[in-house]
Amino acid sequence: MKIFSSKSVLSGEISVPGSKSHSIRVVAIATMAEGSSTIISPLSSGDTLSSLVASEAFGASVEKKNDFWRIKGVGGKIKPCNKIIDLGNSGTSLRIFTALAALCDSKYSFDGDSSLRTREMRNLLSSLQDLGVETNSSNGKCPLSVKGPLRGGHTSIEGKSSQFVTALLFSTPLAQKNSEIIITKLNEKPYVEITLDWLKRQQIEIEHEKDLTHFRVKGKQCYKSFESPIPADFSTATFPLVGAAITGGELSIRNLDFNDRQGDKEIFSVMEKMGVTVTKGAEWTIVRGPSKLKPVSVDLNATPDALPALAVAACFAEGRSEILNVPQARIKETDRIACMTRELRKMGADIEELPDGMIINGRGELAGATVEGHGDHRIVMALAIAGLATGKETCVNGAEAAEVTYPEFARDFIKIGAKFKVI
């Protein structure tokens, strides 16, 4: 699929879909819980539907409706599964459900698409081995298998991806004995805080240091059924935010909860520094683009998913912008630092690629070009947004990747004035 993007001004109202991070976490909890749980307004996309594939493979019963999912969980007793569980493109699902599958004394096997097969799993598999699990992977990536039971005990893990930490925190409360987890080099701290919030709601007993480097988890606990709505996704909200910023538009974005733990809410503060006016209300957040964007220097370690959109915004500022301390952006669906550098240069950007970020010498403009989405939903959406402020039409190849987190991306943006043509 291709998206052709032409010069536009965004205006009107938009509701972004539910949070992917929250949706997959609550599917995992509901799967392992006793009884039926109801998830209200979940994100229904490629990644979250992959989590439901794993849920059903574990033995849970899943009912999908337009505005809610109902999951009858397994009560901590995962049934054996003889087939390979295909998790598509979902790295979050892969990490969390691999660790949960390790609670079963039968072998569980996982695989995914070509992108998922590049996602690092070695650190998590090593920690699971420390906790009594047999693992098998030829290269520390998919395809892989695990065979429990996960007994508990002591392990340390490098938090280069917060998903490793989340996976252990979801699985170890169900282990046979207590666990102690030491974390080094933790990236993406807000995502671990989202996990801890859900565990707190479940009354799971976990002690931890304030800096989230040391966890003590009581074993033989259980998850309980629940009913809960899913908040809107701040990672997705960065795209209408940046779209309004670079086109000089004004948008009302519905139902953003700035009290939520999602780290990407901070991008609204970053864009305010760049000159965007942000007015927060109970139900609407209004964003207005300035006549000129200002350059910015930002530590993006806590919010790596914002890198593609923020890189686009920096190109339309005049002056030197720095996106720093985000090495984990290289181990997402693709190497987002390298790929965004390559594609934005096709559009005339002046970018210096760093090991952990980018320096962008913004000129206040980009030129239309034919660019590649690299199978990455956030790169596709960022480049399509960039095309809204170029004089010549931009063609984004591989645009179907946006469906991973935002299936209605093109349709929703056309409603607010984006001149998108989808082929």
Side-chain angles (χ1 to χ4, degrees), residues 238-379:
T238 59
F239 296 103
L241 170 63
V242 169
I246 66 174
T247 67
E250 178 177 328
L251 288 175
S252 296
I253 307 174
R254 188 174 179 83
N255 290 338
L256 294 179
D257 180 5
F258 283 85
N259 293 317
D260 192 79
R261 289 283 193 177
Q262 295 177 66
D264 279 6
K265 65 185 178 183
E266 295 303 320
I267 301 306
F268 282 77
S269 298
V270 173
M271 294 305 296
E272 283 185 295
K273 294 176 182 176
M274 297 184 77
V276 176
T277 301
V278 178
T279 306
K280 301 172 186 175
E283 296 185 1
W284 297 94
T285 300
I286 300 172
V287 296
R288 300 181 186 89
S291 58
K292 287 186 178 181
L293 283 170
K294 304 171 187 175
V296 69
S297 180
V298 60
D299 183 323
L300 216 61
N301 189 269
T303 57
D305 285 344
L307 182 139
L310 190 58
V312 168
C315 290
F316 286 96
E318 294 185 1
R320 176 187 171 102
S321 289
E322 299 174 327
I323 299 174
L324 306 172
N325 192 29
V326 62
Q328 72 271 33
R330 292 192 182 276
I331 57 169
K332 297 291 184 178
E333 283 81 344
T334 189
D335 182 338
R336 287 177 175 162
I337 295 173
C339 290
M340 286 304 297
T341 298
R342 183 179 310 129
E343 301 310 318
L344 289 174
R345 281 175 176 168
K346 293 178 183 177
M347 302 178 76
D350 179 357
I351 301 177
E352 178 185 348
E353 183 178 338
L354 305 176
D356 66 344
M358 312 162 77
I359 295 175
I360 300 173
N361 296 304
R363 298 168 177 164
E365 62 180 7
L366 287 174
T370 297
V371 292
E372 302 298 324
H374 296 275
D376 188 316
H377 53 121
R378 300 197 193 282
I379 289 179

Side-chain angles (χ1 to χ4, degrees), residues 41-308:
S41 301
L43 170 66
S44 183
S45 70
D47 273 12
T48 58
L49 294 176
S50 289
S51 74
L52 295 182
V53 169
S55 179
E56 291 181 312
F58 278 27
S61 174
V62 176
E63 178 187 6
K64 298 193 292 287
K65 299 294 185 181
N66 287 337
D67 56 353
F68 73 89
W69 294 340
R70 184 169 287 121
I71 298 176
K72 185 177 181 181
V74 301
K77 299 177 182 177
I78 303 170
K79 76 171 187 178
C81 179
N82 296 322
K83 66 178 182 179
I84 296 173
I85 302 172
D86 185 343
L87 294 180
N89 190 248
S90 182
T92 307
S93 298
L94 175 64
R95 274 73 182 258
I96 291 175
F97 281 94
T98 294
L100 290 174
L103 293 160
C104 185
D105 59 7
S106 297
K107 185 172 82 168
Y108 260 76
S109 299
F110 296 90
D111 203 355
D113 65 13
S114 58
S115 174
L116 197 68
R117 286 188 169 195
T118 69
R119 308 294 288 274
E120 181 61 52
M121 288 290 288
R122 194 182 310 274
N123 285 357
L124 179 58
L125 296 178
S126 178
S127 280
L128 292 174
Q129 290 170 7
D130 292 342
L131 302 174
V133 179
E134 297 178 25
T135 72
N136 184 41
S137 169
S138 63
N139 61 356
K141 301 173 183 177
C142 277
L144 60 86
S145 65
V146 293
K147 183 177 182 297
L150 190 157
R151 301 186 185 91
H154 181 278
T155 188
S156 62
I157 190 167
E158 183 179 336
K160 61 191 301 184
S161 169
S162 65
Q163 293 169 5
F164 298 154
V165 182
T166 285
L168 293 176
L169 292 178
F170 273 138
S171 59
T172 50
L174 306 183
Q176 298 170 2
K177 60 182 183 180
N178 298 347
S179 298
E180 184 176 20
I181 308 168
I182 305 298
I183 312 298
T184 60
K185 300 180 181 178
L186 177 62
N187 292 322
E188 308 166 340
K189 185 178 176 182
Y191 288 99
V192 179
E193 292 172 338
I194 292 174
T195 298
L196 291 172
D197 274 357
W198 280 106
L199 294 174
K200 183 177 180 180
R201 295 186 208 187
Q202 284 283 314
Q203 299 179 317
I204 296 295
E205 295 184 36
I206 295 181
E207 297 177 358
H208 60 84
E209 302 302 319
K210 188 175 181 179
D211 62 0
L212 306 184
T213 59
H214 189 180
F215 294 88
R216 291 169 290 276
V217 186
K218 181 181 177 182
K220 295 184 178 179
Q221 299 188 70
C222 62
Y223 292 119
K224 298 175 282 293
S225 59
F226 61 90
E227 179 175 311
S228 181
I230 298 298
D233 196 318
F234 274 96
S235 298
T236 301
T238 59
F239 296 103
L241 170 63
V242 169
I246 66 174
T247 67
E250 178 177 328
L251 288 175
S252 296
I253 307 174
R254 188 174 179 83
N255 290 338
L256 294 179
D257 180 5
F258 283 85
N259 293 317
D260 192 79
R261 289 283 193 177
Q262 295 177 66
D264 279 6
K265 65 185 178 183
E266 295 303 320
I267 301 306
F268 282 77
S269 298
V270 173
M271 294 305 296
E272 283 185 295
K273 294 176 182 176
M274 297 184 77
V276 176
T277 301
V278 178
T279 306
K280 301 172 186 175
E283 296 185 1
W284 297 94
T285 300
I286 300 172
V287 296
R288 300 181 186 89
S291 58
K292 287 186 178 181
L293 283 170
K294 304 171 187 175
V296 69
S297 180
V298 60
D299 183 323
L300 216 61
N301 189 269
T303 57
D305 285 344
L307 182 139

Side-chain angles (χ1 to χ4, degrees), residues 23-42:
S23 294
I24 294 176
R25 282 163 172 77
V26 297
V27 167
I29 292 171
T31 298
M32 302 305 294
E34 183 77 46
S36 292
S37 299
T38 302
I39 304 168
I40 301 167
S41 301

